[in-house]
Amino acid sequence: MTTSTVPASTAPADLLARIDRLESLDAIRQLAAKYSLSLDMRDLDAHVNLFAPDIRVGREKTGRAHLKAWVDDTLRDQFSGTSHHLGQHIIEFSDPDHATGVVYSKNEHETGPEWVLMQMLYWDDYERIDGRWHFRRRLPCYWYASDLNKPPIGDRKMRWPGREPYQGTFHALFPSWQAFWAQRPDKDSLPEVAAPAPMEKFLATMRRGAPDPRIRVR
């Protein structure tokens, strides 16, 4: 039995596009994994090189050097050690070189005398630059952060040592959270079901045009 391979130069364009999409999906998932590993191991050069060269840092600064300085200060001032554990990762493309994603992350932090657990998600923008995928933006949205022995029951679940508790933005990306709790369905009638989201529009459909939440810095 023999097999043959179609040269790339003669392969159908749609096949090449599908292969490129599969390779891009894997590269973006690797990007998120590399983010966690490089951050936890404090390899800040490896870490900041995952971002676009002109990454925005704060309101007025751009570039990997400024990002490295900010990450360095944050880690030295607050955390003796960290461990980031990734969960589900949804990725959708706006074109072959740009994508949006949501990735869950459950994290552990050694911070002074306390061991703080956190549940969050990242709202990401990805861009392929010179053939390699980078973060264009990471928007961290937190549900809770609390000492290992203090379950974050109740409101204001962001409970860092030495700070007043505050509300996270884990649910703020998606209006469905507030809509769900705002009203109860009529149990005497079946609810309406919206049409499925278009391809590559699942996240945008869930967002329903909501603005990005304002993220409070730790």
Side-chain angles (χ1 to χ4, degrees), residues 184-191:
R184 288 185 175 274
D186 183 355
K187 294 186 178 296
D188 294 329
S189 61
L190 288 174

Side-chain angles (χ1 to χ4, degrees), residues 69-137:
W70 181 84
V71 174
D72 190 292
D73 288 344
T74 301
L75 294 175
R76 292 183 191 277
D77 291 346
Q78 300 185 36
F79 306 119
S80 302
T82 56
S83 180
H84 290 67
H85 307 264
L86 300 185
Q88 59 265 36
H89 194 172
I90 300 172
I91 302 165
E92 296 182 342
F93 293 86
S94 55
D95 62 48
D97 294 322
H98 297 85
T100 298
V102 167
V103 56
Y104 273 43
S105 185
K106 193 161 189 175
N107 314 325
E108 301 187 29
H109 309 79
E110 183 180 10
T111 173
E114 297 195 53
W115 196 274
V116 177
L117 302 183
M118 172 192 281
Q119 177 63 58
M120 63 173 296
L121 62 80
Y122 292 102
W123 177 262
D124 290 338
D125 292 324
Y126 313 109
E127 183 177 357
R128 182 160 53 181
I129 303 171
D130 296 330
R132 180 175 295 182
W133 283 96
H134 298 83
F135 293 108
R136 170 52 64 188
R137 182 186 68 157

